[in-house]
Amino acid sequence: MDHSLQRIISSALIFLIAIPSSLGHRDISQTETNLQELCSQTRNSEECWQIIKSEHVRFNETDYRSVAGIVIDLALAKADEIHDKLNQLHKDSRDDQLKEKYLWCSKNYNDANRNLDLVKRNLNSNDYRNIPVQINDTLEELRSCRSQFDNDSFDPAHIRNRNKEFRNYVDIVKVATDRLLRENDRN
């Protein structure tokens, strides 16, 4: 009897350990698969995956609308971060030429942030028609900032790198919202 009780307890423990972990693994795998598919459609899939992977816990649901909302939030946060940095650089800079560039880019990021906020509001109100225009306007603001530093090798705050990083976020937003628009058109 002692041996059979031990076998029952062992079987129960294996059952308790194995079943929940395998069920949870399937959900995570499906989420990862959906998010990797999203990243594979971006211009820089490896960078996209690094961004998404670091925020993986936020993706509880992987329907296109939820994913679009989350990546828009990530892009808004990145735009805010860069905008704040540009404002600080403008304030602290002693070089008038750089000060002017930082101010210009700060305005661009302010407008990019406004455009992404409009994308988020349109997403929340299920009004998807203007989302591509607003994303293109965001990209135009990014190009305008980038042009301030394109011909100048002097970029002590690495604004070019920050623009590239933000471009990756906007690209993820574009792919996520394009998927949502295609799905919406099918329905």
Side-chain angles (χ1 to χ4, degrees):
M1 182 127 167
D2 188 31
H3 179 60
S4 65
L5 182 61
Q6 195 176 24
R7 223 169 68 192
I8 292 171
I9 291 172
S10 294
S11 296
L13 285 174
I14 291 171
F15 179 77
L16 289 173
I17 292 170
I19 298 300
S21 66
S22 68
L23 290 175
H25 183 67
R26 268 190 241 124
D27 290 341
I28 291 171
S29 290
Q30 186 59 47
T31 299
E32 269 189 34
T33 300
N34 290 340
L35 296 173
Q36 285 178 343
E37 179 189 327
L38 167 74
C39 286
S40 73
Q41 296 172 17
T42 63
R43 292 155 58 100
N44 188 340
S45 59
E46 288 179 28
E47 184 65 29
C48 171
W49 183 242
Q50 291 305 314
I51 292 166
I52 297 295
K53 191 173 164 184
S54 70
E55 298 290 337
H56 193 270
V57 295
R58 294 180 69 174
F59 294 92
N60 297 331
E61 299 178 36
T62 56
D63 64 279
Y64 290 167
R65 189 171 186 279
S66 297
V67 169
I70 294 167
V71 298
I72 292 166
D73 288 342
L74 294 174
L76 282 164
K78 183 53 69 177
D80 278 339
E81 175 189 317
I82 295 170
H83 182 249
D84 290 347
K85 180 68 175 173
L86 287 164
N87 285 339
Q88 190 63 46
L89 289 166
H90 176 258
K91 180 180 169 188
D92 295 345
S93 181
R94 298 184 196 286
D95 181 323
D96 287 340
Q97 188 178 15
L98 273 176
K99 196 172 184 107
E100 185 177 318
K101 289 180 179 189
Y102 294 144
L103 178 62
W104 182 270
C105 282
S106 175
K107 290 177 182 176
N108 293 132
Y109 272 87
N110 184 62
D111 291 347
N113 214 341
R114 181 202 64 228
N115 291 331
L116 288 173
D117 190 52
L118 289 170
V119 170
K120 181 73 176 192
R121 279 194 256 157
N122 285 335
L123 177 72
N124 289 339
S125 67
N126 295 321
D127 183 13
Y128 306 146
R129 293 169 294 153
N130 292 322
I131 287 177
V133 172
Q134 292 152 347
I135 291 172
N136 287 334
D137 288 350
T138 302
L139 291 170
E140 187 56 41
E141 294 298 339
L142 185 60
R143 280 188 286 276
S144 181
C145 175
R146 188 180 63 215
S147 72
Q148 295 298 307
F149 293 92
D150 272 351
N151 298 325
D152 193 356
S153 61
F154 187 62
D155 182 13
H158 308 286
I159 301 304
R160 276 188 221 97
N161 293 341
R162 293 175 195 273
N163 281 338
K164 286 178 188 174
E165 183 181 17
F166 182 60
R167 171 72 169 122
N168 288 327
Y169 280 82
V170 176
D171 192 36
I172 297 168
V173 169
K174 182 172 178 18
V175 171
T177 56
D178 284 350
R179 290 188 338 167
L180 176 62
L181 290 168
R182 282 192 304 273
E183 180 185 63
N184 193 52
D185 286 345
R186 279 181 270 177
N187 296 331

